[in-house]
Amino acid sequence: MKAILANDQGLYNFGKNDFTVQFKFKGSGVERSWPVFLSKHQSINNGNPGWLLYISGKNYSMNVSGNAYWHNFSSNSPVNDGKWHTITVVFYTEAAKRYVRCMTDGVTTNTVEVTYAGVTDNNQPLTIGRNDADGAANPDVMLTELQIYNIALPESHVKEYYRKTSVGATHSYYSKLVGYWPLNEGSGNIAYNYAPFTAAR
């Protein structure tokens, strides 16, 4: 199973700018090695540009690719344990170098330099669930509250608010929210985007 989210005229391509992806996650607890569960990527082969998240044993891992180069790394945090967790992935630049910060339940668990991958922009849609490329298996996970911000959320903010189960106008960075899918429709085949900032505005 998978859900393909509209690219909204390239709104989720950030170039060299900072951005944050955050969501609630629950894995089955069964250790797996390559089920991709969230991606904006066609294939990691040949260093095609993009990024993806997948289960690796009890942890989640990430691939960030571009410029015929790829970075593959673990979150260093067990989340595939049958319990709900908040996962936050922050792309940011510091001293002309590009980094990814992995956070679980408000705590930073790994920070990796991904400068060599360059810009990860591509024409692929944001996909929840199985990514058919590279032989990825079906993931046995649940996701809710998928949020994408066009800034790097501060560690202090994530630590304070990771328990929140919804995002509203009083959220400190609501105006920076470019994608927000609560994924609580309960029926049908459409996941609605409730972000206040879309390509149409």
Side-chain angles (χ1 to χ4, degrees), residues 58-118:
K58 291 293 186 181
N59 298 341
Y60 75 90
S61 292
M62 189 165 194
N63 180 280
V64 178
S65 306
N67 285 340
Y69 190 91
W70 55 271
H71 304 268
N72 203 66
F73 51 92
S74 171
S75 64
N76 293 336
S77 177
V79 295
N80 183 23
D81 55 8
K83 301 177 182 179
W84 282 102
H85 296 277
T86 299
I87 291 176
T88 310
V89 177
V90 183
F91 285 75
Y92 67 100
T93 300
E94 189 173 273
K97 294 183 179 180
R98 188 79 160 160
Y99 295 91
V100 172
R101 178 188 302 129
C102 299
M103 302 183 70
T104 300
D105 298 333
V107 177
T108 296
T109 58
N110 198 8
T111 301
V112 179
E113 184 187 347
V114 295
T115 304
Y116 295 131

Side-chain angles (χ1 to χ4, degrees), residues 6-7 12-13 15 22-24 27 34 38-39 46 48-49 54 62 64 80 98 105 107-108 126 159 163 169 180 182:
N7 204 30
Y12 311 120
N13 284 328
Q22 181 169 280
F23 53 91
K24 307 292 185 187
W34 181 237
L38 182 63
S39 59
N46 302 316
N48 291 316
Y54 63 96
M62 189 165 194
V64 178
N80 183 23
R98 188 79 160 160
D105 298 333
V107 177
T108 296
L126 189 66
K159 184 176 183 178
R163 293 184 180 89
Y180 176 38

Side-chain angles (χ1 to χ4, degrees), residues 28-39:
S28 68
V30 177
E31 295 193 22
R32 310 284 298 281
S33 61
W34 181 237
V36 175
F37 62 84
L38 182 63
S39 59

